[in-house]
Amino acid sequence: MKPYVICHMVASIDGRTLTSRWRPEDPNRRELFERLHERLAADAWLVGRITGQEYAKRDAYPDHADQRYPREAWFARRDATAYGIVLDGHGKIAWGRNDIGGDPIVVVLTETVSDAHIAGLREDGVSYIFAGERAIDLGRALDTLNGELGIKRLEVNGGGITNGAFLRAGIIDEISLAIFPAVDGTKGAPCVFDGGEGTGAAAPLRAMMLESSEVLEGGAVWLRYRVHRC
């Protein structure tokens, strides 16, 4: 089984997501995003490697380990009310911490990661799961998160590449989008969904049904769509 997956994002009216470039500026946007996050009541939230790297406190882990580790899931904690899931298939992030905002970190890896990286994760008390040999299988990762940690409701807050991967995999159940009265206006700026290089496959979407719309303070609009897959 997999969790119910909500892609929750904020965007300017031209669909861009890098809030520091939006004009006009508004210092209250982050607070509003967090309030909407609380209303979605997810068991876990998920980001990709680039976003996850922003939270790291170490430069690197040692380049060797004194032992080999099985490529099996390992959990420092199983009792949290919410988890922070980070996709880091090739083990690039050296954490130096084991939680983000009080939510324990769980890293999704591939079997190509080194024993030294696994040792570093254990030293930091960072939980991890494996979801593929060389590339992350998102469906497998969701099955493991549900089966091992009981995650039933997952909020995806990735960059466009991560969100696009979930969309093309056909595993998004709902899109939650808060559109703010601001403009980026820059060609190539980060957007809600992105295919990246060489990903021309169309997303398997049959229909999107508007479940609710709400006007928020400051002129933002919160849209929630139920996704019907092919």
Side-chain angles (χ1 to χ4, degrees), residues 68-187:
R68 289 190 56 79
Y69 296 93
R71 281 6 183 206
E72 300 172 351
W74 182 83
F75 299 99
R77 286 187 59 185
R78 291 177 178 265
D79 60 347
T81 56
Y83 297 89
I85 315 299
V86 181
L87 305 180
D88 186 21
H90 301 293
K92 301 294 186 182
I93 304 175
W95 288 100
R97 63 190 301 169
N98 55 31
D99 72 86
I100 299 173
D103 299 336
I105 300 167
V106 181
V107 180
V108 182
L109 305 169
T110 63
E111 295 172 17
T112 61
V113 300
S114 67
D115 290 303
H117 188 78
I118 295 173
L121 294 175
R122 291 193 178 206
E123 178 183 324
D124 283 340
V126 173
S127 301
Y128 57 82
I129 67 172
F130 290 91
E133 183 178 353
R134 296 184 178 277
I136 291 177
D137 180 329
L138 294 174
R140 178 176 165 185
L142 296 188
D143 287 342
T144 301
L145 293 171
N146 175 267
E148 295 285 354
L149 296 176
I151 294 172
K152 296 180 172 61
R153 194 171 173 87
L154 175 68
E155 182 182 317
V156 176
N157 311 126
I161 298 295
T162 296
N163 295 342
F166 271 82
L167 193 69
R168 290 190 303 278
I171 50 179
I172 292 179
D173 299 291
E174 179 182 331
I175 296 174
S176 165
L177 181 64
I179 301 174
F180 285 81
V183 175
D184 183 315
T186 306
K187 182 178 179 179

Side-chain angles (χ1 to χ4, degrees), residues 23-35:
R23 296 297 182 273
E25 298 179 336
D26 185 345
N28 298 318
R29 287 175 185 139
R30 183 65 191 179
E31 178 185 349
L32 181 55
F33 175 86
E34 292 297 337
R35 293 210 308 269

Side-chain angles (χ1 to χ4, degrees), residues 188-203:
C191 57
V192 177
F193 295 102
D194 197 335
E197 296 294 332
T199 52

